[in-house]
Amino acid sequence: MIDYTTHSPFTDPGPSAGWLDGVGPDLAELRRAASGLVFHFWGNGDITDHGFPAERRAEVDLRYAADMFARLHELNPAPLDRERAPTERIVGCCRDFTLLFVSMARHHGIPARSRVGFAGYLAPGWYLDHVVAEVWDGGRWRLVEPQFPEGCGVDVMDVPRDGFLVGADAWRACRSGAIDPGRFVVSPDMAEPSLRGLTQVRHDLVQDLASLNKHEMVLWDLWGALRDVPELSEEEAEAADELAASLAAASAPDLTAEVARAAFETSAYRVTPVITSMSPTAQLPLEVVLR
């Protein structure tokens, strides 16, 4: 079994662990706190229009919760559940809202994990690349939306499975013809072929597999079978078919984790000690040695 109550190297708050005692363990309280800790690096326009110096864009490449909480403490050492000015939040993306929520939940012994996939509730007609949390409530795994507030179109404490499609469900929906792959994008305004359609869906499928194995990667990371290409090969698509089918068939919560672990152990999907990160701030591939 994969133990989702314990930290991964990515969710471990490190020296800031004591700071997390002040918020939670109520899940709604943790979700509200997490939603106020990150300022999205492009979802609100240019960050410099909101009082951020341009050099703070580099915070989007933070990958470890320990570094994120340390930076948040530098910006404002007040309790984590206190309201923060925008510039007192770290600059990041959906992955970071979720990582911090999962870190706080695991700190309190709550089984929690990140799920990578596509939200159908953020832009009419589109499924947007997104990351949410999944928590075990004693009877089932429940999707929680850490980034957006109540009233965003879904129950943020229990997002319906047809509103957020995890990687395997999105891939199978595309391949079966149930949903047009062209509706799956990072953003409708981004025309790069690698950021939309089957290429992006397969990217999220592998990213979600890593998350199920407690490797909560930065969304622009590449390793092993993940490549920055505009179109998938037939071999890559067929391998993704097999992976998505195996994950979708594992309906029991413990079985999902075990199937994910087995798939992750293959050379094509296992996260390597050194990865490539396509940083949106550096505008070039960066070699990253993971801790």
Side-chain angles (χ1 to χ4, degrees):
M1 281 289 293
I2 298 175
D3 185 358
Y4 295 109
T5 66
T6 62
H7 284 298
S8 70
F10 304 92
T11 65
D12 189 340
S16 299
W19 199 27
L20 276 60
D21 291 337
V23 57
D26 177 74
L27 283 171
E29 181 185 353
L30 293 173
R31 195 211 69 81
R32 283 192 297 271
S35 70
L37 299 179
V38 181
F39 190 88
H40 200 285
F41 79 107
W42 59 260
N44 303 285
D46 196 303
I47 64 168
T48 58
D49 295 334
H50 299 273
F52 291 86
E55 58 267 23
R56 285 196 58 190
R57 291 192 184 98
E59 290 173 8
V60 303
D61 289 320
L62 292 174
R63 68 177 58 245
Y64 299 102
D67 296 337
M68 294 179 182
F69 283 121
R71 180 62 175 138
L72 285 164
H73 197 272
E74 281 181 7
L75 295 167
N76 183 351
L80 285 164
D81 58 352
R82 300 284 177 84
E83 185 174 353
R84 290 171 168 260
T87 54
E88 294 173 343
R89 307 171 191 178
I90 59 169
V91 178
C93 68
C94 57
R95 177 261 183 187
D96 305 316
F97 288 94
T98 295
L99 186 80
L100 295 176
F101 172 84
V102 170
S103 177
M104 291 189 288
R106 289 177 178 170
H107 177 75
H108 291 286
I110 300 168
R113 58 197 188 191
S114 297
R115 298 306 303 266
V116 184
F118 296 86
Y121 50 86
L122 299 178
W126 298 98
Y127 286 88
L128 301 189
D129 172 52
H130 195 41
V131 184
V132 300
E134 197 172 43
V135 296
W136 179 250
D137 64 8
R140 64 187 176 97
W141 284 101
R142 175 159 48 103
L143 295 174
V144 175
E145 168 59 81
Q147 177 178 351
F148 292 97
E150 296 177 3
C152 67
V154 293
D155 181 349
V156 294
M157 293 301 299
D158 193 0
V159 178
R161 295 285 167 172
D162 60 353
F164 183 86
L165 301 181
V166 297
D169 291 344
W171 179 265
R172 284 163 59 83
C174 290
R175 294 287 274 178
S176 70
I179 305 177
D180 178 3
R183 295 172 62 191
F184 291 83
V185 296
V186 171
S187 168
D189 300 327
M190 294 181 178
E192 293 90 338
S194 62
L195 300 180
R196 54 200 308 128
L198 284 177
T199 305
Q200 182 63 42
V201 177
R202 189 256 192 173
H203 180 91
D204 282 22
L205 169 63
V206 177
Q207 283 262 352
D208 191 46
L209 176 68
S211 287
L212 287 170
N213 283 274
K214 296 174 70 173
H215 282 64
E216 297 89 0
M217 307 300 287
V218 173
L219 291 179
W220 36 88
D221 286 345
L222 301 174
W223 68 88
L226 283 185
R227 301 180 300 130
D228 184 28
V229 294
E231 188 173 348
L232 299 177
S233 68
E234 183 176 344
E235 181 181 5
E236 287 171 324
E238 289 176 353
D241 287 339
E242 294 179 10
L243 173 59
S246 64
L247 291 175
S251 55
D254 55 342
L255 188 58
T256 298
E258 290 310 303
V259 169
R261 182 193 297 225
F264 191 64
E265 291 299 324
T266 67
S267 60
Y269 298 124
R270 186 173 182 82
V271 175
T272 51
V274 180
I275 63 165
T276 299
S277 194
M278 308 297 289
S279 168
T281 55
Q283 296 294 309
L284 49 83
L286 299 177
E287 183 177 271
V288 178
V289 180
L290 298 178
R291 293 178 187 169

